[in-house]
Amino acid sequence: MVSSPHEAMHQIFREDPGLFARALPKAGIALPEPTTIQLLDTDLTEIKPMARRVDTLMRVNTADSGSYLLAVEAQGKPDPDKHNSWTYYLAYLYAEYKLPPLLLVVCQDKPTASWAAQPIRIGLPAHTSVAVFPLVLGPENLPTIIDPDEAAEDLALAVFSALAHANDPALPAILEALATALATIGGETAQDWAEYTEIGLGDTRSRAFWRHLMTLRPSRFPGSGTLIEETRIEGRAEGRTEGRAEDILRILDLRAIDIPEAARERITGCTDLEQLGTWFDRALTATHAEELFAAEA
């Protein structure tokens, strides 16, 4: 199913577009300092059979180095099919906007982050025609924040760090520091980030632990509001999965490929956006519907 952690890992850059400029230096990656940042449409559709959508897309303007595009992708597991998608995204963005595009992949586990950081090379062994070098933020290069004072200095970065280290044994200490910082600051801003953290942790023991921490600070966080916000985020995610499933069925239909009822139900019933993305890529070349599910068989 579509996971709240997946949505939270990239949507946090919509909540605070400047976050990437503060997070990347923590991982030793320096980019020109932005002056303005503009969120862009994430639909990268060129023609009907090639409907593709990046998770989050921003135009970043700088004082001395011009403008560039930043495509943010949340990745939950290694997926070789993503190499095709990411290469397409960058080529399309460069052609559409005439600006240099960058790809930032955000991950919650080290194996996925290590996989995502590998260069993508297209061409022959003797000659590379196209090369893609993704930027990656994950538990391996994003420092943990276990000091409440440090967390209070940049709540968005502290929340992002907590989500990136969701599978880290040190997560309880990270959440303790974040909870203390939020309780110290208080107010609606702190409450919003507390709710965002809960949603981003997903349906896990860590989420239960976070809820426990929040119950210890009721006076600073009046009213939960979490269910409403979670419904809003998951509603947007549900709409994206329904649209992706429709895209898959339309591609198969346009390519005159028969879709058995079982396959149709499996596609429309899937709520895992990454899985649907994999099936979408396979639908472009499959000769029969069952090929979409070959790796899962």
Side-chain angles (χ1 to χ4, degrees):
M1 61 180 295
V2 170
S3 62
S4 294
H6 175 275
E7 293 300 304
M9 281 293 285
H10 73 85
Q11 285 197 33
I12 193 170
F13 292 95
R14 301 183 193 179
E15 301 289 338
D16 186 345
L19 172 61
F20 80 92
R22 305 192 303 275
L24 285 173
K26 301 286 185 180
I29 303 170
L31 294 178
E33 183 175 353
T35 53
T36 59
I37 302 172
Q38 176 187 2
L39 289 170
L40 302 177
D41 189 351
T42 60
D43 190 340
L44 307 185
T45 302
E46 186 172 12
I47 56 177
K48 283 291 184 180
M50 290 293 290
R52 299 193 182 191
R53 293 175 176 83
V54 68
D55 284 338
T56 291
L57 179 63
M58 296 180 284
R59 172 177 176 147
V60 182
N61 303 315
T62 70
D64 304 317
S65 303
S67 302
Y68 63 91
L69 303 176
L70 184 68
V72 183
E73 283 278 287
Q75 191 66 24
K77 61 184 178 181
D79 180 1
D81 288 334
K82 280 295 182 180
H83 288 172
N84 296 332
S85 299
W86 293 343
T87 304
Y88 170 85
Y89 292 165
L90 296 180
Y92 175 86
L93 290 172
Y94 185 68
E96 177 70 14
Y97 291 95
K98 306 299 188 294
L99 292 173
L102 299 178
L103 171 65
L104 173 60
V105 184
V106 291
C107 310
Q108 290 182 295
D109 66 87
K110 294 179 180 179
T112 302
S114 297
W115 167 82
Q118 297 173 6
I120 304 168
R121 302 183 187 276
I122 299 174
L124 298 175
H127 178 76
T128 298
S129 298
V130 177
V132 176
F133 299 90
L135 300 172
V136 176
L137 284 176
E140 199 159 33
N141 63 357
L142 194 64
T144 58
I145 299 178
I146 57 176
D147 181 352
D149 292 335
E150 182 181 356
E153 290 176 1
D154 192 333
L155 290 179
L157 181 61
V159 171
F160 180 62
S161 177
L163 299 183
H165 289 88
N167 300 313
D168 194 308
L171 183 62
I174 298 172
L175 295 181
E176 285 274 10
L178 178 58
T180 301
L182 293 175
T184 300
I185 294 174
E188 291 186 5
T189 298
Q191 181 178 340
D192 289 344
W193 282 122
E195 294 173 350
Y196 197 100
T197 302
E198 178 178 331
I199 295 166
L201 289 172
D203 189 15
T204 63
R205 286 180 295 178
S206 299
R207 187 178 194 177
F209 178 68
W210 179 252
R211 284 176 172 171
H212 172 69
L213 291 177
M214 291 299 96
T215 61
L216 301 179
R217 300 160 174 83
S219 60
R220 291 300 185 102
F221 300 97
S224 64
T226 301
L227 181 58
I228 296 175
E229 177 64 14
E230 182 168 356
T231 301
R232 180 174 65 85
I233 289 180
E234 293 184 350
R236 287 201 301 265
E238 182 179 352
R240 294 180 65 197
T241 58
E242 291 177 354
R244 185 60 60 89
E246 291 173 0
D247 290 340
I248 294 170
L249 295 175
R250 178 167 177 77
I251 289 173
L252 294 176
D253 184 59
L254 288 172
R255 298 184 63 232
I257 294 177
D258 180 60
I259 310 174
E261 188 60 30
R264 185 180 298 274
E265 291 179 357
R266 185 170 180 178
I267 293 169
T268 57
C270 181
T271 55
D272 185 332
L273 193 58
E274 289 188 20
Q275 182 65 76
L276 287 167
T278 297
W279 292 346
F280 179 93
D281 292 338
R282 292 173 183 169
L284 299 172
T285 57
T287 57
H288 54 84
E290 286 72 16
E291 286 185 27
L292 273 62
F293 321 119
E296 291 82 29

